[in-house]
Structures are given as structure tokens and as C-alpha cells.
Amino acid sequence: GAHVDAGSATDFDLDLVCDPQTSGGLLLSVDRASRDRVAKVLLDAGCHPHPIGEVVAGEGRVRLRS
């Protein structure tokens, strides 16, 4: 859409990003100051958190980087 900049992502990359079978994990938005504490809670619960990005001020677009 108008708010997505796919950059050099291929059609396969886009299908992978948008496929509910591969994007069914739990996504959390956590304040940077709480990141380590939240990661520890998740690890202690047997989960494996993986930071994937950050929210920054801007024009409200999604940019994919590969």
C-alpha cells in the first residue's frame, strides 16, 4: 500500500512477511527502558524474545530491509 516501502524485497520476501503461517508469533511493543526487564520475564517463562525493530518519529511508513 501507500504506507509500505518494500525497498529491495522480492515478491517471495513480501509473501513471507504477510503470510499468517509465518507471522503468527506474539508481537509486543515495549518501551526501550523496559526492554531488558521484559526480555528477562519472557526468558524466565520459557519464551525466546527477538527484537525486530523500533518505533521512530516519521511519516508513518513501513520500510522492509533485507
Side-chain angles (χ1 to χ4, degrees), residues 10 16 21 31-33 40-41:
T10 65
L16 192 63
Q21 295 179 78
D31 180 83
R32 184 176 290 225
K40 181 178 181 337
V41 168

Side-chain angles (χ1 to χ4, degrees), residues 18-50:
C18 299
D19 184 348
Q21 295 179 78
T22 57
S23 61
L26 178 62
L27 180 64
L28 300 174
S29 178
V30 178
D31 180 83
R32 184 176 290 225
S34 302
R35 181 178 53 192
D36 292 340
R37 190 171 88 234
V38 170
K40 181 178 181 337
V41 168
L42 291 170
L43 286 168
D44 289 348
C47 298
H48 303 281
H50 297 282

